[in-house]
Amino acid sequence: MSNELKKTVLNFLQNLPENPSDQFNKLFEFYRKSDRKQRAMELSYNRRGYSDQNLKNLLYDVKKVYDISDIEVLTVKKVEAEKEIKINAIPDYILDMSEEELRAWAKLEVTVPGDGIKEVIELAEKQGFEEIVKILAEELEALSFIDNKDDKGNGENLGIIDQENDKVLKNESKYENETIALRTEFPFLNNPNCPEKLFVVVGKRISAYRTYQELHQKLVTIEAGEVTIPEEEKLELIKICDAAFNENQALWNELNHYATTGEILGKHPLFREDNIKNEVDLMSAEDMFKFKNASSKYFSVQKKELVKHMNDPAKIELINERIADREFKLALVNAKMGVNAKE
């Protein structure tokens, strides 16, 4: 595989065009050029063309065949120059990096052979950039278990960088490996003050990621004609695979937002109760009184909606979620007002 071609693909992934169809067409062009492509998948993508699910699958496959990790894609700072630092000053783009960007650059440096980290540390020590020295030294120590890859990109001895899930140590359990990868990608998980809810997010993300990988691989075998299943079952498999992909992305968004801002994003349903508690905390006595009085009518309307949509499972689930949220919020309001739920 050409390093130049990989750089071209990586640059494209870091600067995707807005039009999803354009993304698909270019990604398919890159996939066809790879000597690691699967002929059956090439034919399948060519036959089926663009769709939201096909774009997600193709994006996954392109990163896989070109050995491109999520960290490489997310590190938008250009890293070519630091591979051969032969200057007496730290480049401005490194000085302009935030702590998270600097740590991401250090992780990327491990995936591409070079002495960038050590040379920057030496320059930083000479020029008095103590914080840069501290951050890079921590990253260098944390990643010291990773051996150099051979010419084919394979890891040796203790471990490898796994391009589908960032990093995996061969001699640890799979769950521990994935947890180590996330702790490396999101160092705040090692902080004793990290919100407990984010550890739940980590567990759910690992589960969603595994589900997507397993279902995606199953769909690959189906498209290749190795396994035959009814069309309805296949469509259901695609639906579940799509849901796992979206779940994984939503959970990653929560972790990345906290890593970037130090604040909980709270958009995932996992944070629903926390968000409701925060809403109640901000309610005035008048707001709570109005909410309590309006709840009886609200429940009555929702019960009618349940009857109306009794043959639509998705709609029923959504309505029941709304009812549960309202009941939970009403219980909190009652407790704050000092009244019994039956009053």
PDB file of all heavy atoms in Angstrom, residues 9-39:
ATOM      1  N   VAL A   9      -5.915   9.664   1.181  1.00  0.00           N
ATOM      2  CA  VAL A   9      -7.179   9.201   1.772  1.00  0.00           C
ATOM      3  C   VAL A   9      -7.403   9.877   3.120  1.00  0.00           C
ATOM      4  O   VAL A   9      -8.512  10.347   3.416  1.00  0.00           O
ATOM      5  CB  VAL A   9      -7.167   7.667   1.947  1.00  0.00           C
ATOM      6  CG1 VAL A   9      -8.449   7.203   2.659  1.00  0.00           C
ATOM      7  CG2 VAL A   9      -7.052   6.981   0.590  1.00  0.00           C
ATOM      8  N   LEU A  10      -6.344   9.941   3.943  1.00  0.00           N
ATOM      9  CA  LEU A  10      -6.463  10.570   5.256  1.00  0.00           C
ATOM     10  C   LEU A  10      -6.851  12.038   5.130  1.00  0.00           C
ATOM     11  O   LEU A  10      -7.718  12.533   5.857  1.00  0.00           O
ATOM     12  CB  LEU A  10      -5.141  10.437   6.022  1.00  0.00           C
ATOM     13  CG  LEU A  10      -5.085  11.088   7.412  1.00  0.00           C
ATOM     14  CD1 LEU A  10      -6.174  10.538   8.311  1.00  0.00           C
ATOM     15  CD2 LEU A  10      -3.713  10.867   8.035  1.00  0.00           C
ATOM     16  N   ASN A  11      -6.228  12.733   4.193  1.00  0.00           N
ATOM     17  CA  ASN A  11      -6.557  14.142   3.971  1.00  0.00           C
ATOM     18  C   ASN A  11      -8.016  14.305   3.561  1.00  0.00           C
ATOM     19  O   ASN A  11      -8.697  15.246   3.998  1.00  0.00           O
ATOM     20  CB  ASN A  11      -5.643  14.731   2.892  1.00  0.00           C
ATOM     21  CG  ASN A  11      -5.891  16.217   2.689  1.00  0.00           C
ATOM     22  OD1 ASN A  11      -5.712  17.026   3.576  1.00  0.00           O
ATOM     23  ND2 ASN A  11      -6.310  16.573   1.485  1.00  0.00           N
ATOM     24  N   PHE A  12      -8.500  13.372   2.735  1.00  0.00           N
ATOM     25  CA  PHE A  12      -9.909  13.422   2.316  1.00  0.00           C
ATOM     26  C   PHE A  12     -10.839  13.210   3.509  1.00  0.00           C
ATOM     27  O   PHE A  12     -11.839  13.909   3.675  1.00  0.00           O
ATOM     28  CB  PHE A  12     -10.179  12.363   1.247  1.00  0.00           C
ATOM     29  CG  PHE A  12     -11.616  12.308   0.804  1.00  0.00           C
ATOM     30  CD1 PHE A  12     -12.123  13.243  -0.079  1.00  0.00           C
ATOM     31  CD2 PHE A  12     -12.468  11.309   1.283  1.00  0.00           C
ATOM     32  CE1 PHE A  12     -13.463  13.195  -0.484  1.00  0.00           C
ATOM     33  CE2 PHE A  12     -13.793  11.261   0.885  1.00  0.00           C
ATOM     34  CZ  PHE A  12     -14.293  12.212   0.000  1.00  0.00           C
ATOM     35  N   LEU A  13     -10.500  12.233   4.367  1.00  0.00           N
ATOM     36  CA  LEU A  13     -11.330  11.936   5.539  1.00  0.00           C
ATOM     37  C   LEU A  13     -11.360  13.101   6.526  1.00  0.00           C
ATOM     38  O   LEU A  13     -12.342  13.297   7.231  1.00  0.00           O
ATOM     39  CB  LEU A  13     -10.808  10.676   6.242  1.00  0.00           C
ATOM     40  CG  LEU A  13     -10.946   9.371   5.465  1.00  0.00           C
ATOM     41  CD1 LEU A  13     -10.259   8.229   6.207  1.00  0.00           C
ATOM     42  CD2 LEU A  13     -12.413   9.028   5.231  1.00  0.00           C
ATOM     43  N   GLN A  14     -10.270  13.875   6.556  1.00  0.00           N
ATOM     44  CA  GLN A  14     -10.218  15.034   7.445  1.00  0.00           C
ATOM     45  C   GLN A  14     -10.939  16.237   6.864  1.00  0.00           C
ATOM     46  O   GLN A  14     -11.232  17.196   7.586  1.00  0.00           O
ATOM     47  CB  GLN A  14      -8.754  15.402   7.728  1.00  0.00           C
ATOM     48  CG  GLN A  14      -8.013  14.386   8.586  1.00  0.00           C
ATOM     49  CD  GLN A  14      -6.545  14.743   8.766  1.00  0.00           C
ATOM     50  OE1 GLN A  14      -5.966  15.426   7.933  1.00  0.00           O
ATOM     51  NE2 GLN A  14      -5.951  14.278   9.848  1.00  0.00           N
ATOM     52  N   ASN A  15     -11.231  16.180   5.568  1.00  0.00           N
ATOM     53  CA  ASN A  15     -11.882  17.317   4.895  1.00  0.00           C
ATOM     54  C   ASN A  15     -13.002  16.822   3.991  1.00  0.00           C
ATOM     55  O   ASN A  15     -13.014  17.088   2.778  1.00  0.00           O
ATOM     56  CB  ASN A  15     -10.844  18.101   4.079  1.00  0.00           C
ATOM     57  CG  ASN A  15      -9.707  18.623   4.926  1.00  0.00           C
ATOM     58  OD1 ASN A  15      -9.814  19.649   5.573  1.00  0.00           O
ATOM     59  ND2 ASN A  15      -8.589  17.899   4.916  1.00  0.00           N
ATOM     60  N   LEU A  16     -13.940  16.091   4.565  1.00  0.00           N
ATOM     61  CA  LEU A  16     -15.033  15.504   3.780  1.00  0.00           C
ATOM     62  C   LEU A  16     -15.911  16.582   3.146  1.00  0.00           C
ATOM     63  O   LEU A  16     -16.245  17.578   3.798  1.00  0.00           O
ATOM     64  CB  LEU A  16     -15.897  14.616   4.676  1.00  0.00           C
ATOM     65  CG  LEU A  16     -15.285  13.298   5.142  1.00  0.00           C
ATOM     66  CD1 LEU A  16     -16.199  12.636   6.177  1.00  0.00           C
ATOM     67  CD2 LEU A  16     -15.041  12.359   3.975  1.00  0.00           C
ATOM     68  N   PRO A  17     -16.314  16.405   1.902  1.00  0.00           N
ATOM     69  CA  PRO A  17     -17.250  17.356   1.281  1.00  0.00           C
ATOM     70  C   PRO A  17     -18.611  17.278   1.967  1.00  0.00           C
ATOM     71  O   PRO A  17     -18.948  16.278   2.599  1.00  0.00           O
ATOM     72  CB  PRO A  17     -17.327  16.869  -0.176  1.00  0.00           C
ATOM     73  CG  PRO A  17     -16.920  15.429  -0.132  1.00  0.00           C
ATOM     74  CD  PRO A  17     -15.916  15.321   0.977  1.00  0.00           C
ATOM     75  N   GLU A  18     -19.383  18.334   1.840  1.00  0.00           N
ATOM     76  CA  GLU A  18     -20.675  18.384   2.525  1.00  0.00           C
ATOM     77  C   GLU A  18     -21.675  17.393   1.945  1.00  0.00           C
ATOM     78  O   GLU A  18     -22.498  16.835   2.664  1.00  0.00           O
ATOM     79  CB  GLU A  18     -21.249  19.810   2.456  1.00  0.00           C
ATOM     80  CG  GLU A  18     -20.441  20.832   3.252  1.00  0.00           C
ATOM     81  CD  GLU A  18     -21.100  22.191   3.248  1.00  0.00           C
ATOM     82  OE1 GLU A  18     -22.249  22.299   2.745  1.00  0.00           O
ATOM     83  OE2 GLU A  18     -20.479  23.156   3.723  1.00  0.00           O
ATOM     84  N   ASN A  19     -21.620  17.179   0.652  1.00  0.00           N
ATOM     85  CA  ASN A  19     -22.588  16.307  -0.014  1.00  0.00           C
ATOM     86  C   ASN A  19     -22.255  14.830   0.262  1.00  0.00           C
ATOM     87  O   ASN A  19     -21.189  14.350  -0.134  1.00  0.00           O
ATOM     88  CB  ASN A  19     -22.569  16.562  -1.523  1.00  0.00           C
ATOM     89  CG  ASN A  19     -23.697  15.865  -2.247  1.00  0.00           C
ATOM     90  OD1 ASN A  19     -23.947  14.689  -2.022  1.00  0.00           O
ATOM     91  ND2 ASN A  19     -24.381  16.588  -3.112  1.00  0.00           N
ATOM     92  N   PRO A  20     -23.149  14.096   0.946  1.00  0.00           N
ATOM     93  CA  PRO A  20     -22.890  12.683   1.261  1.00  0.00           C
ATOM     94  C   PRO A  20     -22.657  11.826   0.025  1.00  0.00           C
ATOM     95  O   PRO A  20     -21.860  10.885   0.063  1.00  0.00           O
ATOM     96  CB  PRO A  20     -24.165  12.247   2.002  1.00  0.00           C
ATOM     97  CG  PRO A  20     -24.746  13.510   2.535  1.00  0.00           C
ATOM     98  CD  PRO A  20     -24.425  14.550   1.505  1.00  0.00           C
ATOM     99  N   SER A  21     -23.353  12.156  -1.077  1.00  0.00           N
ATOM    100  CA  SER A  21     -23.186  11.388  -2.312  1.00  0.00           C
ATOM    101  C   SER A  21     -21.764  11.557  -2.855  1.00  0.00           C
ATOM    102  O   SER A  21     -21.153  10.592  -3.335  1.00  0.00           O
ATOM    103  CB  SER A  21     -24.204  11.841  -3.362  1.00  0.00           C
ATOM    104  OG  SER A  21     -24.073  11.083  -4.540  1.00  0.00           O
ATOM    105  N   ASP A  22     -21.237  12.783  -2.756  1.00  0.00           N
ATOM    106  CA  ASP A  22     -19.856  13.029  -3.188  1.00  0.00           C
ATOM    107  C   ASP A  22     -18.882  12.265  -2.297  1.00  0.00           C
ATOM    108  O   ASP A  22     -17.866  11.739  -2.781  1.00  0.00           O
ATOM    109  CB  ASP A  22     -19.542  14.524  -3.134  1.00  0.00           C
ATOM    110  CG  ASP A  22     -20.307  15.312  -4.189  1.00  0.00           C
ATOM    111  OD1 ASP A  22     -20.777  14.697  -5.157  1.00  0.00           O
ATOM    112  OD2 ASP A  22     -20.451  16.549  -4.021  1.00  0.00           O
ATOM    113  N   GLN A  23     -19.185  12.214  -1.001  1.00  0.00           N
ATOM    114  CA  GLN A  23     -18.357  11.443  -0.076  1.00  0.00           C
ATOM    115  C   GLN A  23     -18.309   9.977  -0.511  1.00  0.00           C
ATOM    116  O   GLN A  23     -17.237   9.374  -0.579  1.00  0.00           O
ATOM    117  CB  GLN A  23     -18.916  11.532   1.348  1.00  0.00           C
ATOM    118  CG  GLN A  23     -18.846  12.900   1.977  1.00  0.00           C
ATOM    119  CD  GLN A  23     -19.427  12.906   3.379  1.00  0.00           C
ATOM    120  OE1 GLN A  23     -19.447  11.884   4.080  1.00  0.00           O
ATOM    121  NE2 GLN A  23     -19.920  14.056   3.806  1.00  0.00           N
ATOM    122  N   PHE A  24     -19.484   9.418  -0.793  1.00  0.00           N
ATOM    123  CA  PHE A  24     -19.580   8.010  -1.173  1.00  0.00           C
ATOM    124  C   PHE A  24     -18.784   7.720  -2.438  1.00  0.00           C
ATOM    125  O   PHE A  24     -18.013   6.749  -2.501  1.00  0.00           O
ATOM    126  CB  PHE A  24     -21.041   7.614  -1.372  1.00  0.00           C
ATOM    127  CG  PHE A  24     -21.238   6.170  -1.753  1.00  0.00           C
ATOM    128  CD1 PHE A  24     -21.369   5.201  -0.782  1.00  0.00           C
ATOM    129  CD2 PHE A  24     -21.270   5.787  -3.090  1.00  0.00           C
ATOM    130  CE1 PHE A  24     -21.534   3.858  -1.126  1.00  0.00           C
ATOM    131  CE2 PHE A  24     -21.431   4.450  -3.447  1.00  0.00           C
ATOM    132  CZ  PHE A  24     -21.564   3.489  -2.454  1.00  0.00           C
ATOM    133  N   ASN A  25     -18.955   8.573  -3.461  1.00  0.00           N
ATOM    134  CA  ASN A  25     -18.290   8.336  -4.744  1.00  0.00           C
ATOM    135  C   ASN A  25     -16.767   8.351  -4.602  1.00  0.00           C
ATOM    136  O   ASN A  25     -16.068   7.503  -5.172  1.00  0.00           O
ATOM    137  CB  ASN A  25     -18.733   9.390  -5.764  1.00  0.00           C
ATOM    138  CG  ASN A  25     -20.186   9.235  -6.159  1.00  0.00           C
ATOM    139  OD1 ASN A  25     -20.751   8.141  -6.068  1.00  0.00           O
ATOM    140  ND2 ASN A  25     -20.817  10.323  -6.571  1.00  0.00           N
ATOM    141  N   LYS A  26     -16.249   9.308  -3.838  1.00  0.00           N
ATOM    142  CA  LYS A  26     -14.796   9.402  -3.674  1.00  0.00           C
ATOM    143  C   LYS A  26     -14.269   8.254  -2.812  1.00  0.00           C
ATOM    144  O   LYS A  26     -13.209   7.671  -3.111  1.00  0.00           O
ATOM    145  CB  LYS A  26     -14.433  10.743  -3.036  1.00  0.00           C
ATOM    146  CG  LYS A  26     -12.924  11.048  -3.073  1.00  0.00           C
ATOM    147  CD  LYS A  26     -12.425  11.174  -4.504  1.00  0.00           C
ATOM    148  CE  LYS A  26     -10.947  11.524  -4.545  1.00  0.00           C
ATOM    149  NZ  LYS A  26     -10.437  11.613  -5.936  1.00  0.00           N
ATOM    150  N   LEU A  27     -15.007   7.913  -1.744  1.00  0.00           N
ATOM    151  CA  LEU A  27     -14.602   6.797  -0.889  1.00  0.00           C
ATOM    152  C   LEU A  27     -14.583   5.487  -1.680  1.00  0.00           C
ATOM    153  O   LEU A  27     -13.691   4.650  -1.493  1.00  0.00           O
ATOM    154  CB  LEU A  27     -15.544   6.677   0.315  1.00  0.00           C
ATOM    155  CG  LEU A  27     -15.393   7.737   1.397  1.00  0.00           C
ATOM    156  CD1 LEU A  27     -16.552   7.658   2.383  1.00  0.00           C
ATOM    157  CD2 LEU A  27     -14.066   7.575   2.130  1.00  0.00           C
ATOM    158  N   PHE A  28     -15.576   5.323  -2.553  1.00  0.00           N
ATOM    159  CA  PHE A  28     -15.628   4.110  -3.376  1.00  0.00           C
ATOM    160  C   PHE A  28     -14.431   4.064  -4.322  1.00  0.00           C
ATOM    161  O   PHE A  28     -13.830   3.001  -4.547  1.00  0.00           O
ATOM    162  CB  PHE A  28     -16.925   4.064  -4.177  1.00  0.00           C
ATOM    163  CG  PHE A  28     -17.065   2.831  -5.039  1.00  0.00           C
ATOM    164  CD1 PHE A  28     -17.053   1.563  -4.471  1.00  0.00           C
ATOM    165  CD2 PHE A  28     -17.194   2.939  -6.407  1.00  0.00           C
ATOM    166  CE1 PHE A  28     -17.161   0.420  -5.257  1.00  0.00           C
ATOM    167  CE2 PHE A  28     -17.305   1.808  -7.206  1.00  0.00           C
ATOM    168  CZ  PHE A  28     -17.291   0.546  -6.623  1.00  0.00           C
ATOM    169  N   GLU A  29     -14.039   5.218  -4.842  1.00  0.00           N
ATOM    170  CA  GLU A  29     -12.854   5.290  -5.711  1.00  0.00           C
ATOM    171  C   GLU A  29     -11.606   4.851  -4.943  1.00  0.00           C
ATOM    172  O   GLU A  29     -10.783   4.083  -5.455  1.00  0.00           O
ATOM    173  CB  GLU A  29     -12.689   6.721  -6.221  1.00  0.00           C
ATOM    174  CG  GLU A  29     -11.480   6.931  -7.115  1.00  0.00           C
ATOM    175  CD  GLU A  29     -11.310   8.383  -7.521  1.00  0.00           C
ATOM    176  OE1 GLU A  29     -12.349   9.085  -7.643  1.00  0.00           O
ATOM    177  OE2 GLU A  29     -10.151   8.821  -7.698  1.00  0.00           O
ATOM    178  N   PHE A  30     -11.475   5.319  -3.701  1.00  0.00           N
ATOM    179  CA  PHE A  30     -10.337   4.922  -2.870  1.00  0.00           C
ATOM    180  C   PHE A  30     -10.388   3.425  -2.558  1.00  0.00           C
ATOM    181  O   PHE A  30      -9.351   2.751  -2.558  1.00  0.00           O
ATOM    182  CB  PHE A  30     -10.320   5.717  -1.570  1.00  0.00           C
ATOM    183  CG  PHE A  30      -9.905   7.150  -1.729  1.00  0.00           C
ATOM    184  CD1 PHE A  30     -10.581   8.160  -1.058  1.00  0.00           C
ATOM    185  CD2 PHE A  30      -8.834   7.498  -2.532  1.00  0.00           C
ATOM    186  CE1 PHE A  30     -10.202   9.477  -1.191  1.00  0.00           C
ATOM    187  CE2 PHE A  30      -8.435   8.823  -2.676  1.00  0.00           C
ATOM    188  CZ  PHE A  30      -9.130   9.818  -2.009  1.00  0.00           C
ATOM    189  N   TYR A  31     -11.590   2.920  -2.271  1.00  0.00           N
ATOM    190  CA  TYR A  31     -11.731   1.502  -1.933  1.00  0.00           C
ATOM    191  C   TYR A  31     -11.294   0.630  -3.103  1.00  0.00           C
ATOM    192  O   TYR A  31     -10.589  -0.375  -2.919  1.00  0.00           O
ATOM    193  CB  TYR A  31     -13.177   1.193  -1.550  1.00  0.00           C
ATOM    194  CG  TYR A  31     -13.379  -0.220  -1.031  1.00  0.00           C
ATOM    195  CD1 TYR A  31     -12.979  -0.573   0.255  1.00  0.00           C
ATOM    196  CD2 TYR A  31     -13.955  -1.196  -1.838  1.00  0.00           C
ATOM    197  CE1 TYR A  31     -13.149  -1.864   0.734  1.00  0.00           C
ATOM    198  CE2 TYR A  31     -14.130  -2.486  -1.369  1.00  0.00           C
ATOM    199  CZ  TYR A  31     -13.728  -2.816  -0.087  1.00  0.00           C
ATOM    200  OH  TYR A  31     -13.894  -4.102   0.382  1.00  0.00           O
ATOM    201  N   ARG A  32     -11.674   1.005  -4.314  1.00  0.00           N
ATOM    202  CA  ARG A  32     -11.331   0.215  -5.503  1.00  0.00           C
ATOM    203  C   ARG A  32      -9.821   0.193  -5.744  1.00  0.00           C
ATOM    204  O   ARG A  32      -9.290  -0.770  -6.299  1.00  0.00           O
ATOM    205  CB  ARG A  32     -12.041   0.788  -6.731  1.00  0.00           C
ATOM    206  CG  ARG A  32     -13.556   0.698  -6.668  1.00  0.00           C
ATOM    207  CD  ARG A  32     -14.210   1.267  -7.897  1.00  0.00           C
ATOM    208  NE  ARG A  32     -13.994   0.430  -9.069  1.00  0.00           N
ATOM    209  CZ  ARG A  32     -14.511   0.684 -10.270  1.00  0.00           C
ATOM    210  NH1 ARG A  32     -15.274   1.747 -10.445  1.00  0.00           N
ATOM    211  NH2 ARG A  32     -14.274  -0.109 -11.273  1.00  0.00           N
ATOM    212  N   LYS A  33      -9.127   1.244  -5.331  1.00  0.00           N
ATOM    213  CA  LYS A  33      -7.686   1.325  -5.547  1.00  0.00           C
ATOM    214  C   LYS A  33      -6.882   0.487  -4.560  1.00  0.00           C
ATOM    215  O   LYS A  33      -5.710   0.213  -4.790  1.00  0.00           O
ATOM    216  CB  LYS A  33      -7.217   2.781  -5.449  1.00  0.00           C
ATOM    217  CG  LYS A  33      -7.683   3.659  -6.602  1.00  0.00           C
ATOM    218  CD  LYS A  33      -7.168   5.087  -6.434  1.00  0.00           C
ATOM    219  CE  LYS A  33      -7.602   5.967  -7.600  1.00  0.00           C
ATOM    220  NZ  LYS A  33      -7.132   7.363  -7.428  1.00  0.00           N
ATOM    221  N   SER A  34      -7.502   0.099  -3.454  1.00  0.00           N
ATOM    222  CA  SER A  34      -6.771  -0.640  -2.420  1.00  0.00           C
ATOM    223  C   SER A  34      -6.555  -2.095  -2.822  1.00  0.00           C
ATOM    224  O   SER A  34      -7.470  -2.757  -3.332  1.00  0.00           O
ATOM    225  CB  SER A  34      -7.542  -0.592  -1.094  1.00  0.00           C
ATOM    226  OG  SER A  34      -6.946  -1.451  -0.151  1.00  0.00           O
ATOM    227  N   ASP A  35      -5.342  -2.595  -2.565  1.00  0.00           N
ATOM    228  CA  ASP A  35      -5.077  -4.000  -2.859  1.00  0.00           C
ATOM    229  C   ASP A  35      -5.608  -4.914  -1.753  1.00  0.00           C
ATOM    230  O   ASP A  35      -5.486  -6.137  -1.840  1.00  0.00           O
ATOM    231  CB  ASP A  35      -3.572  -4.224  -3.067  1.00  0.00           C
ATOM    232  CG  ASP A  35      -2.743  -3.731  -1.884  1.00  0.00           C
ATOM    233  OD1 ASP A  35      -3.335  -3.345  -0.858  1.00  0.00           O
ATOM    234  OD2 ASP A  35      -1.503  -3.725  -1.998  1.00  0.00           O
ATOM    235  N   ARG A  36      -6.203  -4.314  -0.711  1.00  0.00           N
ATOM    236  CA  ARG A  36      -6.777  -5.109   0.379  1.00  0.00           C
ATOM    237  C   ARG A  36      -8.306  -5.161   0.317  1.00  0.00           C
ATOM    238  O   ARG A  36      -8.954  -5.667   1.218  1.00  0.00           O
ATOM    239  CB  ARG A  36      -6.351  -4.515   1.734  1.00  0.00           C
ATOM    240  CG  ARG A  36      -4.846  -4.575   1.979  1.00  0.00           C
ATOM    241  CD  ARG A  36      -4.454  -3.865   3.252  1.00  0.00           C
ATOM    242  NE  ARG A  36      -5.113  -4.448   4.415  1.00  0.00           N
ATOM    243  CZ  ARG A  36      -5.089  -3.918   5.626  1.00  0.00           C
ATOM    244  NH1 ARG A  36      -4.452  -2.772   5.834  1.00  0.00           N
ATOM    245  NH2 ARG A  36      -5.703  -4.511   6.643  1.00  0.00           N
ATOM    246  N   LYS A  37      -8.862  -4.636  -0.755  1.00  0.00           N
ATOM    247  CA  LYS A  37     -10.318  -4.617  -0.900  1.00  0.00           C
ATOM    248  C   LYS A  37     -10.855  -6.036  -1.058  1.00  0.00           C
ATOM    249  O   LYS A  37     -10.129  -6.965  -1.450  1.00  0.00           O
ATOM    250  CB  LYS A  37     -10.709  -3.788  -2.117  1.00  0.00           C
ATOM    251  CG  LYS A  37     -10.279  -4.444  -3.439  1.00  0.00           C
ATOM    252  CD  LYS A  37     -10.570  -3.543  -4.620  1.00  0.00           C
ATOM    253  CE  LYS A  37     -10.082  -4.206  -5.925  1.00  0.00           C
ATOM    254  NZ  LYS A  37     -10.239  -3.347  -7.090  1.00  0.00           N
ATOM    255  N   GLN A  38     -12.145  -6.194  -0.759  1.00  0.00           N
ATOM    256  CA  GLN A  38     -12.835  -7.451  -1.002  1.00  0.00           C
ATOM    257  C   GLN A  38     -13.656  -7.296  -2.287  1.00  0.00           C
ATOM    258  O   GLN A  38     -14.492  -6.383  -2.383  1.00  0.00           O
ATOM    259  CB  GLN A  38     -13.753  -7.809   0.172  1.00  0.00           C
ATOM    260  CG  GLN A  38     -13.001  -8.114   1.454  1.00  0.00           C
ATOM    261  CD  GLN A  38     -13.928  -8.617   2.543  1.00  0.00           C
ATOM    262  OE1 GLN A  38     -14.945  -9.255   2.266  1.00  0.00           O
ATOM    263  NE2 GLN A  38     -13.574  -8.324   3.781  1.00  0.00           N
ATOM    264  N   ARG A  39     -13.416  -8.159  -3.226  1.00  0.00           N
ATOM    265  CA  ARG A  39     -14.072  -8.049  -4.526  1.00  0.00           C
ATOM    266  C   ARG A  39     -15.588  -8.068  -4.396  1.00  0.00           C
ATOM    267  O   ARG A  39     -16.294  -7.300  -5.064  1.00  0.00           O
ATOM    268  CB  ARG A  39     -13.609  -9.198  -5.428  1.00  0.00           C
ATOM    269  CG  ARG A  39     -14.255  -9.233  -6.819  1.00  0.00           C
ATOM    270  CD  ARG A  39     -13.966  -7.983  -7.604  1.00  0.00           C
ATOM    271  NE  ARG A  39     -14.536  -8.067  -8.948  1.00  0.00           N
ATOM    272  CZ  ARG A  39     -14.689  -7.025  -9.748  1.00  0.00           C
ATOM    273  NH1 ARG A  39     -14.338  -5.817  -9.341  1.00  0.00           N
ATOM    274  NH2 ARG A  39     -15.194  -7.180 -10.963  1.00  0.00           N
TER     275      ARG A  39
END
